[in-house]
Structure formats: structure tokens, C-alpha cells
Amino acid sequence: MDNLKLAELLFKDIDKTPEYYEERYPQRDLKEGARVTRFAPSPTGFLHFGNLFTCLVSYKTAKSTNGVFYVRVEDTDQKRKVDGAIEVMLKGLSVYGIVPDEGVVSEGEEKGDYAPYYQSARKEIYQAYAKSLVQQGLAYPCFMTPEELDEIRAAQENESIKGIWGKWAKHRDLSLEEIKKNIADGKAWTLRLKSPGSVDGKCFFDDMIKGKIEMPENVQDVVILKSDGIPTYHFAHAVDDHLMRTTHVVRGDEWISSTPIHLQLFKVLGFKPPKYAHVAPIMKEENGGKRKLSKRKDPEAAVTYYAEEGYPSESVNEYMLTLANSNFEDWRRMNKDESLDKFPFNLKKMSVSGALFDMVKLTDVSKNVISKMPAQKVYSLSYEWAKEYNPALAALYEKDAERATAILNIDRENKKPRKDIAKWSDIPDYISYMYGETFVPCYELTGNATPALAVKVLEKYVDLVNLGDSKDEWFERIKGMCESVGCTPNVKEYKQNPEVFDGHVGDVSTVIRVALTGRTNTPDLYAITALLGEETVKQRLNAALDYYKEKA
Ligand code: GLU
């Protein structure tokens, strides 16, 4: 077989050579140890939480070594292409601080010396390498029809090694004449690798996350170019990650089974293989077992979910790091206020079998993150969220931004801030009693507080309440009225002789709290009273009094 002639026959328009591209895309001039990683999405427009997670791992791998992180769009499957998808995905990433140094930086816009970063624009490059493989006798055209391939698939049902290899690789050794005839007859062809693997050969690699892996060597003559001349994932991965000088391929672990193919391709192409870091999928507990976080079953599988619910990106990032590195939480305990960028991210500390998604944990992490934010930040982030997802909240804020910020500042910016808010969508309920529009009275009492006690307390307090009080004065005033309503200002004293009293200062406060807020548990009642204003306070106390009078 004259391989050179065959290569000309198959790729007559391809005049550039691998040497040309090697020169065109030289080694990167980076410091020792700097890692080059990428995110390589198909433009579906849907960002799965698992994609974001893998992408974060890839990004951190580059950033923690002063390397380069780039985005390459894997758009060879035109059927799956969705307009505007890349913009949606890049925006989704940027919310979490993931901004590529290079590659596709916004829809249709590329940056960097290794362009094009859209696979659909790299057809000639793939073909130049494919042509070179044909010239070396390492790849061949295969004319098998879909029907023939189906037959082989059926015949191989009980075979341990499937695919086109050995006796099934029927077109491996066609003569140039036969090939010419097939082409003249208009038969479609794919280009297959002439696999140099042997059945008892082994493939070894040291995965950065999973450790040492040993698998059977690839023996399949895998398709590298489809009949339309577009590369398969396998071939594009090898050519692109080589030419873009990726040092670490961080990707989902569903690709582990194909890695022997990839390593073989790197070898026949004469490329140095990258290091692999295969990320296990995010799992979810269900009925005592575990399954993958599912786009179909779990709303939290969509990255848009977090924005819609109003989880601040800081919380999600913090949570993702708890999933990513087993030592993150210890680090956080030692470095309470440190920025996440300071965390020494390490691929070796990733879970091998898949981290478990836990909503309760996310909620806790987020409450903690939000509790540390100053009120102004809570206000502005939640206002941005509200404008998009909760216009009613935005309208309340707009009535008086300063008052809204003061409400959000209750029990905040101190040593032990409260942790009531996990996400911005918690805020409407959290502050509802602070606005006439959303206040819903509820006069249920707890502890020793009864309607009869409530009547006594409220009758007194309506006259006593003074919005000019300092916090201490306010509390002294409440304690001061206890005796006159049959209660003690001293909880200890009450506990020693409960039969002597109708209740204690806590019960008196409960009555006032319930009257003013409709709740038995709220942040600082003094601050709430001050922000409600005299008129509302008196009006709510009187309304409650009327209610309890009827009940008592
Ligand atoms: N486009 C592939 C995917 O979305 C990329 C895998 C990779 O990172 O190499 O699964």
C-alpha cells in the first residue's frame, strides 16, 4: 500500500502539516510547576452542578500554580448546539468567580495564542494530523455501513472485547485500488485508527485523583474522523489538548474507560500525554443508597437553581470546597476570615468515589457565610436578587433603603451574629413583620404566657413603652413591670418557686414579642421596636390587647 498516495486521495485539500502546527502553537513559556487546565463544555446551555464543580477543580488546579485556565468549546456535534448557550454557561461560571484567562471568553469572542478555541473551527487542524497518521500507515478509511456495524454489534454480544478490531476490522487492509473504487462509488467512509494494541497489553496511568490505574490496552480501531470529516471526542481531545499545551486534563470520571484509547492516540501522534485528574460525580443519598445528582430528579443539579433561590456565590464556592477537599473544613476553622483564594487546593485531597451533595450542609455553610456579611452587603446582594426574582421584596426595599439595611443589621456585625438567613429567598419571611404590607398577626403564646397574662402585660406596656429608651432602659422598664402583672423579673427565682408567680420576665417579653411580630422567636426585640416606630408599635399592641381581651 502506498500510504502517501492514500493520504493524498483522502485529504487532497490539506496542505499544512503537523510540523506547521507544532511551530504555530509552541510550548507555553510558563514557570516551573505552572499547570495549564481547561473547561471543555459542549454548548448545551445547561450547566450541571457537577460541571461547575469539575470546572472549579480545573480552575483551582491552574490558579494555585499560577498557571493558565482556558475554555474550549466542544461544538463538533452541531445537532446539540443551542444559540446563546456559551454566554449562559460563561455567565454561570463567572458568578462563581471562574473567569477564563484564555479561550472562549464570551460567545463568539476568543482570547489567546492557541485559537481557534471552537472545535468547529479546527477541522483543518484535525485533518492535518489525520493525514499524517494515514501517511504513516497508522489510520485507514473504513467503509462499513451502519447496517454492517449493527450486525457486528449483535454478533459480539457475548464477546468480552467489543468494537472494530481483529477479524471485525474488515477494512483495515483494503488495497489502494479497492479504496479508490469505494470512493469513486460514492461510499461514505470514516477514518479509523490502526490500533497498535494487543489483547494482553496493559495500559497504566497515574491519575492525580484516583491514583494508579491499570487497564487493558486499547485494541479497537476507533473512529477518529466521522464521515463528515469531523473528529470524534477521542481524536479532538488528543489534538487539542496537545496543541493548546494542556498539562492537566481535569474531567468527569466517565472518561476513565476511554483513557487507554486516549493514551494510545497520544502515543501514535507522537505527543507527550497530559496528566489526568478524573473527578467523580457528585452523589446524592436516596433510600439509604447513593446515586448521581440528576438533572431530571434534582432541581439543585442545575446551577441556575442557586441563583434563583438566592444562594450567594460565596456560599456555593465555600460549599464546593467542602465537597472538593477533605481538609477544607479544618483549614476554615483555623482561618475563619481568610479569603477562599488562600486555601491550598490539592487534587490529591479529592474524594475518589464521589462527594455527597447535602442540602443541610449547604444551608449551614451559607448561613455562616451570610452571618459574617455586613448589612450593607446583605442589602445590596439581596436587592440585586430581588430585582430579578422577587419584585415584591425589591419594592419593600425601595420604600426606604436605609431602614431596610437597618432591619438587616439587627443582630449582625457583632461577635455572635444570628444565622437566620441561608439564601436571599429566606428574607421576605424573615423581615415580613417589619412591614405593614407583609405583617401577619399571630397571637399564639408559649411558655407561661396566657391570654389573661397578655391582657395585663399589654395594658401596662402600651402606656409604658418609650421609643426614646436606650436598650438598658427598655429592658429595665420591662423588668420593672413584672411584679405588677404577677410575674418575677428573675427567671431563677421563678424556677425556685413557680407556684408563687404567673410567669417571669421571659413570659412578659413573649407577650410583647408576639404582639409586635406575630412570632415567639425573633432577633433583638429592642431593635425591632425601634425600627417599627411608635405609631406601629402602639397600634400592634392595642390590636393584640383587643384580641386577648376577647380570649381571656
Ligand atoms: N465535552 C466533554 C464533556 O462535556 C469534555 C470532556 C473533557 O473535559 O475532556 O464531557
Side-chain angles (χ1 to χ4, degrees), residues 283-436:
M283 307 299 282
K284 199 150 177 196
E285 219 154 57
E286 192 179 63
N287 306 327
K290 276 194 201 176
R291 62 163 174 79
K292 284 188 200 167
L293 188 67
S294 142
K295 173 178 173 182
R296 206 164 41 80
K297 294 189 191 157
D298 309 309
E300 69 272 28
V303 169
T304 45
Y305 168 86
Y306 304 90
E308 284 160 13
E309 291 289 310
Y311 286 97
S313 55
E314 279 172 49
S315 301
V316 179
N317 273 334
E318 180 104 8
Y319 179 59
M320 284 196 286
L321 284 179
T322 68
L323 291 176
N325 268 195
S326 47
N327 57 331
F328 174 75
E329 287 178 81
D330 286 341
W331 176 84
R332 179 46 98 205
R333 269 190 285 278
M334 310 289 291
N335 301 277
K336 285 207 159 50
D337 297 313
E338 199 61 273
S339 141
L340 289 182
D341 296 338
K342 294 273 164 23
F343 172 67
F345 177 81
N346 187 347
L347 280 175
K348 297 253 180 316
K349 295 255 162 46
M350 299 265 310
S351 157
V352 170
S353 60
L356 211 53
F357 186 93
D358 179 355
M359 209 41 140
V360 176
K361 179 84 196 205
L362 168 63
T363 301
D364 278 356
V365 166
S366 191
K367 280 183 173 173
N368 212 20
V369 167
I370 293 177
S371 76
K372 289 189 196 155
M373 291 180 181
Q376 189 54 51
K377 184 166 175 182
V378 174
Y379 170 79
S380 55
L381 290 179
S382 58
Y383 181 42
E384 283 314 306
W385 171 83
K387 278 194 278 187
E388 191 157 355
Y389 299 105
N390 193 321
L393 178 66
L396 285 185
Y397 277 7
E398 280 157 13
K399 284 171 56 173
D400 186 343
E402 219 171 289
R403 178 170 183 269
T405 311
I407 292 170
L408 295 168
N409 199 33
I410 300 176
D411 283 344
R412 181 177 293 283
E413 298 185 32
N414 59 22
K415 267 219 170 91
K416 258 191 140 242
R418 278 178 67 108
K419 297 179 181 176
D420 298 289
I421 307 170
K423 51 190 191 301
W424 308 137
S425 52
D426 291 341
I427 292 183
D429 178 59
Y430 175 68
I431 64 170
S432 65
Y433 53 80
M434 296 306 293
Y435 291 90

Side-chain angles (χ1 to χ4, degrees), residues 433 439-444 513-520 540:
Y433 53 80
F439 172 57
V440 183
C442 169
Y443 295 125
E444 250 166 70
R513 189 184 306 276
V514 166
L516 291 181
T517 67
R519 299 188 190 185
T520 51
R540 289 192 188 176

Side-chain angles (χ1 to χ4, degrees), residues 26 30 45 54 66 75-76 78 83 105 107 149 156 188 219-220 228 312 332 373 392 423 442 453 489 508:
L30 292 172
T54 305
N66 290 320
D75 59 346
T76 52
Q78 296 291 324
D83 278 345
V105 290
E107 186 107 32
L149 292 168
Q156 285 181 334
V219 294
Q220 291 184 35
D228 52 6
R332 179 46 98 205
M373 291 180 181
K423 51 190 191 301
C442 169
L453 177 66
V508 172

Side-chain angles (χ1 to χ4, degrees), residues 38 40-42 72 74 233 237 241 249-252 254-255:
R38 82 299 192 276
S42 301
R72 174 174 76 229
E74 309 220 321
Y233 169 79
H237 155 51
D241 281 313
V249 169
V250 179
R251 64 182 178 185
E254 69 274 19
W255 293 110

Side-chain angles (χ1 to χ4, degrees), residues 88-102:
V88 170
M89 297 175 95
L90 289 172
K91 282 229 170 82
L93 298 181
S94 74
V95 168
Y96 300 99
I98 303 176
V99 178
D101 301 308
E102 178 183 309

